[in-house]
Amino acid sequence: MKRRHFLASLPALAACRSAQDPASLASLPNLRADDRTAAELAGEESEWRAVQDAFAVDRSMVNFNNGGVSPSSEPVQESLKRLTAEANGAPAYVMWRLQDKRREEVRTALAELLGTDPEQVAITRNTSEGLQICQFGMNLERGDQVLCCDQEYPRMINTFLQRSRRDGIELVRFPIPVPLTDPDEVVRRFEARITPRTRVLLVSQVINLTGQFLPVDAVCALGRKHGIAVIVDGAHGFAHVPFKMDELDCDYYATSLHKWLSAPFGTGMLYVRKERIGDLWPLMASSESQRADIRKFEEIGTYSLPLVLSILDAVRFHQRLGTVNVHARLTYLRERWAQRIEGDPRVRWNTDRSPGRAGGIANFGIEGVDTAALQKHLWEDHRIYTITIRHRGVGTDGQELPAEAPLQIDGLRVSPSFYSTLEEVDRFGAVIENVLEHGLPA
Ligand SMILES: Cc1ncc(COP(=O)(O)O)c(C=O)c1O
């Protein structure tokens, strides 16, 4: 085949055009253009049904662990399949000569959703990678201190603990109240531990154990006041919590796109404030000429461009809905099951559900009912998938609490998604009501 004919036959060329025209997204309601408020739209079933239908999930089970990892919608899966097939036609040519050109579109789309300049946005594989770029890439010296609460994600704590064994930095952890009814208490606890040796504050936008939102804006302001860098773990924040990065005013922010954005598995994003890029070392080496370029964090060898480009479809899907509406819907679903059981005094909330303090995720335990047994009952008898959270943490002295100390958190973490149905939420609520009335089956 002549080269010209070969190129013309490559489906990738067509793909570059068709991806501009996401016709399959047209079935979704355009909630962002709707005159109704987010609170009104949250209970508008006819609108959300089209969203539910766009997810080909296994409805023979109820998946309420979307906080772990979320499914992609059909349009996103279709795009990934199509782009992968095209790339396999001639990988080195299609991925590196054609598809790679569109990577900047992804960066721009993500930056727009995040509310910042694309030159501060790197595409990564997940939150862990983005955060570790910051945690390992900052210049820290023996004796420098890092502060965080003890409910940070274990991998991120382990990253700093490893750095502490290797480089002699000190990780100072502290407990925070459960449930967190006064968010300012977190800021006070950070501030009380700041010393002349404090270099970094690590804070989650949403605690993974409970779904509790933390006052990250106030922690960023605290860092700025003291000249201390702030790393925000946004694993559960992006596409879940309405916020704009430039208003948050943080130094480093990492998230996974396979959680609340429902992008393909193994996609993430890292924000680094422009002035901080030059001094942050990438995990994999890049050239000196890239020193101040956000793209240096993407020098990771061969990986899937189809995966990266499919992020665009997930962004477009999300933009039909809007983060404010997604947040309101998730809050609505959470309250639908939570209000059924909140009147029972045996229900212990590990999440403060006051407005604006949590979204789709909540955590509760039942006095006298073993959490793991409750989770087993939900799964084995009702095919409802949740997870048990048991967390002991550290004492006020920052030391790990002994095994005999009471747990800080012992409860079920429940995370429906915006594609979950009311019937699924009600089925879950009914099971818990039944357990409250009759106990677990023998
Ligand atoms: C708060 C938090 N940080 C980081 C991570 C790591 O995310 P990933 O496994 O996508 O890198 C998670 C995962 O659930 C998380 O909840």
Side-chain angles (χ1 to χ4, degrees):
M1 197 192 287
K2 284 208 172 101
R3 189 165 181 274
R4 193 156 31 97
H5 292 146
F6 167 70
L7 293 183
S9 72
L10 275 178
L13 296 175
C16 291
R17 282 195 304 274
S18 63
Q20 306 289 338
D21 174 30
S24 47
L25 299 181
S27 60
L28 292 173
N30 190 356
L31 298 188
R32 277 209 312 170
D34 202 294
D35 288 340
R36 287 167 290 183
T37 65
E40 284 165 355
L41 284 170
E44 211 45 77
E45 280 326 288
S46 54
E47 306 286 4
W48 292 97
R49 201 154 300 124
V51 177
Q52 293 154 10
D53 289 347
F55 281 83
V57 293
D58 180 357
R59 300 275 182 192
S60 73
M61 65 179 277
V62 176
N63 176 8
F64 279 1
N65 187 9
N66 290 283
V69 59
S70 288
S72 293
S73 66
E74 279 190 328
V76 172
Q77 289 190 50
E78 284 307 315
S79 168
L80 179 57
K81 267 189 245 166
R82 194 189 66 238
L83 291 161
T84 306
E86 287 160 6
N88 277 292
Y93 176 75
V94 174
M95 283 210 296
W96 296 341
R97 298 289 293 278
L98 304 180
Q99 294 183 338
D100 193 51
K101 289 195 181 114
R102 297 190 50 225
R103 151 189 286 284
E104 293 307 312
E105 277 178 57
V106 180
R107 188 186 320 285
T108 304
L110 285 172
E112 190 189 323
L113 201 50
L114 191 60
T116 197
D117 179 346
E119 292 302 317
Q120 305 185 116
V121 172
I123 301 159
T124 62
R125 289 167 290 190
N126 48 45
T127 309
S128 304
E129 181 182 21
L131 290 177
Q132 293 201 354
I133 288 171
C134 306
Q135 294 178 286
F136 284 131
M138 291 171 96
N139 290 311
L140 295 175
E141 289 173 6
R142 181 166 294 277
D144 283 349
Q145 286 179 334
V146 175
L147 293 185
C148 70
C149 83
D150 66 353
Q151 291 179 30
E152 290 303 325
Y153 195 65
R155 181 172 300 112
M156 289 28 267
I157 290 187
N158 280 333
T159 304
F160 274 134
L161 288 176
Q162 180 173 305
R163 212 170 161 187
S164 138
R165 293 195 297 277
R166 192 172 178 180
D167 302 329
I169 68 159
E170 191 188 343
L171 178 66
V172 178
R173 279 174 288 169
F174 54 89
I176 57 171
V178 179
L180 183 65
T181 49
D182 176 10
D184 291 343
E185 183 58 19
V186 174
V187 187
R188 286 193 287 273
R189 291 193 186 189
F190 265 111
E191 190 153 31
R193 286 162 179 83
I194 288 176
T195 74
R197 291 191 291 135
T198 309
R199 298 283 173 267
V200 185
L201 312 180
L202 168 68
V203 62
S204 278
Q205 194 174 18
V206 180
I207 293 287
N208 86 93
L209 307 168
T210 56
Q212 196 75 68
F213 292 2
L214 293 189
V216 279
D217 45 356
V219 175
C220 289
L222 179 71
R224 189 121 357 269
K225 182 173 122 189
H226 290 271
I228 300 169
V230 180
I231 304 177
V232 175
D233 180 340
H236 290 285
F238 187 62
H240 182 189
V241 182
F243 77 103
K244 290 282 169 223
M245 180 55 71
D246 288 347
E247 288 164 18
L248 187 58
D249 196 23
C250 80
D251 302 293
Y252 312 94
Y253 178 100
T255 191
S256 296
L257 305 175
H258 47 231
K259 289 187 188 282
W260 298 95
L261 188 68
S262 278
F265 312 133
T267 54
M269 169 174 66
L270 168 67
Y271 161 92
V272 182
R273 181 196 283 278
K274 221 171 249 166
E275 310 86 77
R276 298 270 190 188
I277 297 173
D279 286 338
L280 187 66
W281 295 94
L283 277 183
M284 289 197 202
S286 63
S287 72
E288 174 60 17
S289 63
Q290 286 182 297
R291 188 169 185 273
D293 186 346
I294 191 77
R295 293 162 192 79
K296 73 180 178 182
F297 302 116
E298 297 169 3
E299 292 293 336
I300 58 166
T302 305
Y303 55 88
S304 164
L305 257 308
L307 202 65
V308 170
L309 296 194
S310 309
I311 294 171
L312 265 184
D313 300 80
V315 170
R316 287 181 181 136
F317 191 107
H318 183 83
Q319 278 175 329
R320 297 283 296 204
L321 310 178
T323 309
V324 170
N325 294 319
V326 168
H327 171 73
R329 174 66 174 182
L330 289 168
T331 304
Y332 173 84
L333 295 179
R334 182 200 73 213
E335 285 304 294
R336 190 169 169 104
W337 64 262
Q339 286 175 11
R340 275 177 88 149
I341 60 171
E342 68 182 355
D344 193 306
R346 289 169 301 162
V347 175
R348 287 179 281 97
W349 291 100
N350 295 316
T351 311
D352 176 23
R353 296 165 23 237
S354 309
R357 304 260 180 86
I361 308 174
N363 181 318
F364 73 99
I366 301 177
E367 234 162 78
V369 174
D370 179 76
T371 306
L374 176 61
Q375 183 206 330
K376 190 164 179 279
H377 169 60
L378 279 160
W379 176 241
E380 291 185 356
D381 300 330
H382 301 280
R383 297 266 294 165
I384 299 176
Y385 190 59
T386 56
I387 57 166
T388 297
I389 301 286
R390 288 192 163 132
H391 175 78
R392 184 162 283 109
V394 302
T396 45
D397 59 358
Q399 299 305 309
E400 298 274 351
L401 288 166
E404 58 278 11
L407 291 164
Q408 275 187 46
I409 303 172
D410 179 4
L412 208 61
R413 189 184 81 171
V414 185
S415 51
S417 180
F418 54 90
Y419 70 79
S420 303
T421 65
L422 294 189
E423 189 277 326
E424 290 170 330
V425 171
D426 291 346
R427 214 179 326 155
F428 171 74
V431 174
I432 303 299
E433 261 180 358
N434 195 54
V435 170
L436 285 168
E437 198 172 332
H438 304 290
L440 287 171

